[in-house]
Amino acid sequence: MKIFAVGGAGYIGCVCAELLLNEGHEVIIFDNLTEGHRRAVDSRATFIQGELAERAQIQAALSNTRPDAVMHFAANALVGESMRNPSKYFRNNVCNGLNLLDAMVTTGVRRIVFSSTCAIFGLPERLPIDETTPASPINPYGESKLAFEKVLRWYDQIHGLKFVSLRYFNAAGATQNFGEDHRQETHLIPNVLKVALGQKPNVEIYGTNYETPDGTCIRDYIHIVDLARAHILALGATNSALYNLGTGGGSSVREVIAACGKITGRNVGTIEKPRRPGDPPRLIASSEKIKNELGWQPQFQSLEAIVESAWKWHEKFPRGYED
C-alpha cells in the first residue's frame, strides 16, 4: 500500500513509517517540522515539508501522491500548554484536521488511521478503561482529540471515509534507529534517562501520596513498536472503529525510575513535588477489543524491555536528532 503519514517526522510517526517500509509499503511523510525532526524521516520514505493549516498544500500533496490511506499523527499534545492556550489546540487538532479530511474527500482518499489519546477519558469512572468507558476530557488537549473523533464519525456517514481511531496510553521505547526526542520533553522515561546520561540533575516526582502501593501515579506503558504494529493492522480494518491501546498492566513512577536505574546501572536522583492538578492515580487500558477484532498482540509487555530499548537509543544518540 501507499501510505501518507501526516506528522510522520514525529516520535510515533517515524517508527510507524519504519515498520511500514520494512514490510514493503510505500510511505510519504508530510510534516512542517515544528515538532518533528528531518533526521527522523527514514531515508526510504518520500518527504514533503508542508503546513496542514494550508488546505491547498495538503490537497496538492494528496493529489500528487494518490495514497491508499492516510495516517494522521500531527497534533499538539501538551496537556499543560492546552490549559494555557486552548485556541492553539482546537485550531491545530480540529481545524487543521478538517483541512486534511476535506482534502481527502476531494482527492478520493477514503481511509484514515487517527492518533487519538487516553486523555479523552479524563478521570475514568472504572478500570481498566475499555471503549465503553464514558469520554469526559478534563483539558483542551483531550477535548480536541475527542472532537475530531466525532468529526470522523460524520465524515464516515456522509462521505464514506473509513477511519480507525487508536487511543494511545503511554507510548515509550525505541527501535535501533528511531526514538523519543521532543523539543519540550514531558514524558517520564526519556526524562529519567536524561538524568542517567548526566543531562539533567534529577527527575521530578509529582505527587507521592496517591492511593497506590508506593504513593505515585500508575500508568500503562506500551512499546512504540507494538503501537506501530497496531497502526499497520488498522489499515486492514473493514469498518470504522475505535480502539484503546495499552498492555493492560501498569507501572508507578517509582517503578519506572527503578527500572531505568537497573537497566542503565546509574543512579537517578529524584525531587518530590506536589501533585499536578488533574492527574488520575491510575490509568490502565483494556485492549481486548483490538486483540479480538484485529488480532493485535503486544510483544514487549515488560517495563524493562521498553526501558532497555529506549536506553540503547539514547546511548547511541545522546543528543537525539540534533546535528
Side-chain angles (χ1 to χ4, degrees):
M1 294 178 71
K2 184 186 289 187
I3 309 302
F4 191 95
V6 183
Y11 171 44
I12 296 168
C14 72
V15 174
C16 286
E18 181 185 24
L19 267 64
L20 284 164
L21 290 159
N22 289 348
E23 294 193 6
H25 298 284
E26 185 178 348
V27 178
I28 303 102
I29 290 175
F30 183 93
D31 201 298
N32 65 7
L33 300 182
T34 58
E35 300 292 340
H37 304 270
R38 183 64 181 86
R39 289 182 60 189
V41 176
D42 195 299
S43 61
R44 298 168 292 173
T46 299
F47 177 66
I48 300 171
Q49 186 166 348
E51 293 284 347
L52 199 56
E54 299 294 334
R55 162 73 184 278
Q57 289 187 21
I58 186 65
Q59 186 165 313
L62 288 171
S63 180
N64 291 335
T65 57
R66 294 291 173 181
D68 299 300
V70 167
M71 288 187 177
H72 181 24
F73 304 102
N76 293 115
L78 299 178
V79 169
E81 182 186 50
S82 79
M83 293 294 287
R84 298 187 299 271
N85 188 2
S87 175
K88 177 180 179 180
Y89 279 71
F90 288 110
R91 288 182 187 279
N92 190 30
N93 297 358
V94 182
C95 297
N96 291 352
L98 283 168
N99 284 341
L100 173 61
L101 296 185
D102 289 340
M104 289 176 64
V105 171
T106 300
T107 57
V109 183
R110 290 293 190 269
R111 182 171 294 275
I112 183 171
V113 180
F114 173 55
S115 295
S116 191
T117 172
C118 65
I120 68 166
F121 294 109
L123 302 174
E125 63 180 31
R126 63 178 183 271
L127 293 173
I129 303 168
D130 63 20
E131 291 77 5
T132 66
T133 302
S136 184
I138 58 172
N139 53 66
Y141 167 57
E143 193 73 62
S144 69
K145 288 288 195 173
L146 180 60
F148 195 72
E149 284 192 354
K150 292 179 179 179
V151 170
L152 286 170
R153 292 190 187 99
W154 286 108
Y155 271 64
D156 180 10
Q157 181 175 325
I158 294 167
H159 297 295
L161 194 155
K162 297 302 175 187
F163 71 90
V164 173
S165 182
L166 300 176
R167 283 94 167 256
Y168 308 163
F169 279 64
N170 288 55
T175 66
Q176 290 185 358
N177 299 313
F178 300 106
E180 190 168 9
D181 180 19
H182 299 109
R183 291 181 175 87
Q184 184 177 348
E185 190 57 74
T186 61
H187 293 169
L188 179 60
I189 289 176
N191 274 322
V192 177
L193 296 180
K194 286 178 185 293
V195 177
L197 286 167
Q199 297 174 352
K200 289 182 61 175
N202 48 63
V203 65
E204 296 84 7
I205 300 176
Y206 292 97
T208 58
N209 60 347
Y210 287 96
E211 294 181 358
T212 60
D214 66 17
T216 64
C217 290
I218 291 175
R219 296 291 182 264
D220 190 339
Y221 291 89
I222 177 172
H223 198 290
I224 188 68
V225 170
D226 287 329
L227 198 67
R229 287 181 175 138
H231 286 75
I232 295 172
L233 288 171
L235 292 170
T238 303
N239 300 312
S240 293
L242 307 166
Y243 296 114
N244 292 353
L245 275 181
T247 58
S251 301
S252 73
V253 173
R254 292 196 190 280
E255 287 172 336
V256 169
I257 293 170
C260 289
K262 178 181 178 181
I263 294 297
T264 64
R266 302 181 186 183
N267 182 56
V268 177
T270 63
I271 290 182
E272 296 182 3
K273 292 192 172 184
R275 294 185 183 191
R276 292 177 296 194
D279 267 354
R282 300 172 185 259
L283 286 176
I284 298 173
S286 168
S287 299
E288 293 306 307
K289 183 181 178 184
I290 192 170
K291 290 177 180 179
N292 293 333
E293 295 185 5
L294 299 186
W296 179 72
Q297 288 293 335
Q299 301 300 307
F300 302 94
Q301 289 195 271
S302 78
L303 176 62
E304 288 189 1
I306 292 172
V307 170
E308 184 177 16
S309 70
W311 176 238
K312 286 179 178 177
W313 187 83
H314 282 280
E315 274 196 306
K316 186 177 180 181
F317 303 103
R319 290 170 55 85
Y321 293 112
E322 291 182 19
D323 293 327

